[in-house]
Amino acid sequence: MTTAAPPPDALELSVVIPCLNEAETVGACVEKALRALREHGIAGEVVVADNGSTDDSREIAARLGARVVPVEAKGYGSALMGGIAAARGNFVVMGDADDSYDFLEAPCFLAKLREGFDLVQGCRLPAGGGTVLPGAMPFSHRWFGNPVLSWMVRIMFGSPVHDVYCGLRGFRKGWYEGLDMRCTGMEFATEMIVKASLFPSKIAEVPTTLHRDGRTIGRPHLRTVRDGWRTLRFFLMCSPRWLFLYPGLLLLLLGVVGYGLALPGTTIFGATLDAHTLLFASLAALTGHQAVLFALFTRAFAVSEGLMPPNARLKRWARFLNLERGLMAGIGAICLGATLLGLAVRQWWQVDFGNLDYAHTMRLVIPGVTLVALGFQTVLGSFFLNILGLRRR
């Protein structure tokens, strides 16, 4: 991740506020932000990134002293990208224009940034010392959606934050420019945290207070189901381990256990595991193997595109499991599977191509077909993984 140098005439702090038809509340946000700068002697500015407002939002913000930056591309993330790009401060504090965040708290974020942190995340939830005032957050968001998604980002990415959706946060602008942010919707906020956790970054958390939305007419831009799903989807796309690798390894394990029990015809609780169990085990093995391959493909592509940092452990495995070893393993599996299928054909030939004892013959046919398929996947996967790695060499 590269870090861009700030312009020579940069201010210390830019407060960036995305805005779309927030005439009721944007004025209060601008006034609080300017007051915080003034009372703490901070050389800064307030930037309102207007995303196509049709009310008086822009006029109100400009009259009160904000610098209004029009952003044509629609979306919460697009508005923030445009506002941050126009910001002249070495540090940026961003927050919503609905007056639910108190911009008088901006100096608390700046203090942490001055200590050397790259990202200072606000936390509204009690788990991180924050406060949610009565009526400020829907019940489902406070006790289910936000805690669950925040827990997931801690587990999946090792992030230290307790409130992944808190929109009040501060960061170094040069650090932000190295993130290569891409999400134009509500996922922008979570993308920043995920990338800050994946790439080497110093992250701090500051308790903050969430106030009741100051709007009485305007409609909230957040959509619970839609934006929750988009966040979960983004988490999974950024974590090949949880999306592909762990489920794939579990399926492979189930396949191996299934074969270990079904090949000798084990009886468990009165149920005999026979050819049908072998079919289920083969299904688990095939889908598991494919999921593991997808994990490797996705990781290689993400690293080559700069979406994820290189992984030392993966590099070691890549050196060991090179193209040639992959081809040898794949061809070996194909040959072994073909041998088993040949033995099955031989049994058929011995009875003059008549009826067979399928319970016996399928113990050759099912493993044979499975090994040929696994070998074929391995050969193709080895070539594809090598192609993906060409760009990094």
Side-chain angles (χ1 to χ4, degrees), residues 5-214:
D9 60 342
L11 301 170
E12 184 177 27
L13 178 65
S14 293
V15 178
V16 177
I17 306 173
C19 177
L20 175 60
N21 294 327
E22 308 284 8
E24 286 185 277
T25 53
V26 69
C29 296
V30 171
E31 287 180 331
K32 290 177 182 178
L34 289 172
R35 178 183 163 191
L37 297 177
R38 183 174 62 252
E39 290 182 352
H40 289 81
I42 301 170
E45 63 175 350
V46 176
V47 178
V48 172
D50 187 76
N51 206 206
S53 296
T54 56
D55 59 9
D56 297 331
S57 298
R58 286 175 290 185
E59 291 76 10
I60 293 171
R63 185 174 67 248
L64 292 173
R67 181 159 62 93
V68 178
V69 176
V71 180
E72 293 184 5
K74 297 300 181 183
Y76 176 77
S78 296
L80 281 168
M81 289 180 191
I84 296 169
R88 295 177 296 170
N90 292 328
F91 304 118
V92 174
V93 169
M94 59 175 252
D96 299 341
D98 59 6
D99 202 24
S100 60
Y101 298 117
D102 188 353
F103 284 96
L104 293 174
E105 297 178 354
C108 299
F109 291 80
L110 179 60
K112 285 290 184 181
L113 292 169
R114 286 170 174 170
E115 292 178 16
F117 289 97
D118 299 307
L119 171 65
V120 182
Q121 173 70 12
C123 181
R124 306 161 296 178
L125 301 180
T131 303
V132 179
L133 297 180
M137 185 183 293
F139 180 88
S140 60
H141 293 191
R142 180 175 180 178
W143 300 110
F144 179 72
N146 209 330
V148 169
L149 291 172
S150 298
W151 173 80
M152 288 182 65
V153 81
R154 291 197 302 275
I155 295 297
M156 296 172 69
F157 305 103
S159 175
V161 305
H162 293 82
D163 185 4
V164 68
Y165 264 126
C166 183
L168 185 61
R169 63 186 66 178
F171 46 86
R172 290 192 304 107
K173 185 177 178 183
W175 168 84
Y176 161 85
E177 289 172 340
L179 290 181
D180 187 23
M181 298 288 288
R182 304 190 181 193
C183 292
T184 59
M186 286 293 181
E187 312 97 296
F188 178 91
T190 51
E191 180 189 7
M192 183 182 294
I193 293 177
V194 168
K195 287 188 173 179
S197 304
L198 290 174
F199 291 90
S201 305
K202 294 183 65 177
I203 306 173
E205 195 169 48
V206 172
T208 188
T209 299
L210 181 68
H211 299 261
R212 190 182 182 91
D213 189 332

Side-chain angles (χ1 to χ4, degrees), residues 324-338 371 374-376 378-379:
E324 288 72 22
R325 287 192 175 96
L327 293 179
M328 290 175 59
I331 293 172
I334 292 173
C335 291
L336 180 57
L371 284 169
L374 290 174
F376 191 68
T378 301
V379 169

Side-chain angles (χ1 to χ4, degrees), residues 294-360:
F294 268 95
L296 296 174
F297 299 156
T298 306
R299 182 77 193 207
F301 174 78
V303 170
S304 68
E305 290 295 315
L307 300 175
M308 299 178 70
N311 185 284
R313 185 186 305 170
L314 189 62
K315 281 185 176 180
R316 289 194 296 269
W317 274 102
R319 285 195 294 267
F320 177 74
L321 298 175
N322 55 25
L323 174 62
E324 288 72 22
R325 287 192 175 96
L327 293 179
M328 290 175 59
I331 293 172
I334 292 173
C335 291
L336 180 57
T339 300
L340 294 177
L341 292 175
L343 291 174
V345 172
R346 182 173 180 273
Q347 287 184 358
W348 192 27
W349 172 70
Q350 289 175 337
V351 296
D352 295 326
F353 301 104
N355 293 327
L356 290 168
D357 179 1
Y358 288 105
H360 178 69

